[in-house]
Amino acid sequence: MAKEERDFHDLIYNLLVVEKSPTVEIAAQKMGMSYDMLYARVSNRVPFRAHEIRALISAVDDKRLADYFLQDSTYIAVERALPNSDGSVESDVYQGAARYVLQAASVLRAIDDGLADQHIDHRERLAIEREIHEAERALAALRTRIANN
């Protein structure tokens, strides 16, 4: 099995079996398949089909799944802006802007932590890149919220 396939199955296994976020039973129910059918795919005995992966992304609702498929592309996964229960546009846009500011501050904190010894090592670089990715996601989500309102 190729490393990419192993990475995908490791991610699915960790999400559904180790973290139970959600459990295999709940994910199978949301996907409209039996526990045995999904577990056969999670344990890599049966390959996933494209429509099953799409259903899995919807059922699990974890950004790491979307990130896995987009990691070598120029795209980033952005959460869809759901309508507010009170119908207010302002609070949704404000929350998106606040989330972006917090994520940008996290980037600065990671850079500051990395430069504490005047050198950014590989672990610090990965932490900074992770924070930048989250800030990009927050900014793209804010752009989507503003465009959709």
Side-chain angles (χ1 to χ4, degrees):
M1 176 188 329
K3 181 187 180 326
E4 292 82 16
E5 289 179 46
R6 201 169 39 253
D7 289 346
F8 174 69
H9 280 81
D10 287 349
L11 174 60
I12 299 301
Y13 185 86
N14 281 327
L15 288 170
L16 298 179
V17 177
V18 176
E19 295 176 19
K20 297 182 182 190
S21 175
T23 63
V24 177
E25 295 89 351
I26 292 170
Q29 183 180 33
K30 287 181 177 180
M31 293 172 65
M33 61 176 25
S34 72
Y35 170 89
D36 293 331
M37 286 176 61
L38 180 57
Y39 196 80
R41 285 151 180 79
V42 169
S43 62
N44 201 23
R45 288 178 295 179
V46 176
F48 278 96
R49 293 181 167 171
H51 73 279
E52 293 169 341
I53 292 172
R54 184 173 37 205
L56 181 68
I57 291 170
S58 177
V60 173
D61 194 29
D62 189 297
K63 63 186 172 192
R64 291 175 287 180
L65 276 175
D67 285 344
Y68 172 82
F69 290 105
L70 297 173
Q71 69 186 1
D72 294 329
S73 75
T74 58
Y75 300 99
I76 59 173
V78 178
E79 296 173 73
R80 292 184 197 272
L82 300 174
N84 289 335
S85 59
D86 63 357
S88 65
V89 173
E90 296 83 11
S91 65
D92 190 40
V93 171
Y94 179 81
Q95 288 173 352
R99 179 174 172 229
Y100 172 68
V101 169
L102 291 172
Q103 290 301 119
S106 294
V107 172
L108 288 174
R109 188 177 331 109
I111 290 171
D112 187 55
D113 290 348
L115 290 175
D117 62 356
Q118 304 298 316
H119 173 73
I120 295 176
D121 66 23
H122 69 283
R123 279 181 271 136
E124 293 163 335
R125 182 182 54 79
L126 288 173
I128 292 167
E129 288 175 356
R130 218 175 10 255
E131 294 298 340
I132 289 171
H133 183 72
E134 290 301 317
E136 289 173 334
R137 185 191 314 269
L139 185 58
L142 176 59
R143 182 182 300 122
T144 302
R145 285 186 170 99
I146 290 171
N148 290 337
N149 289 314

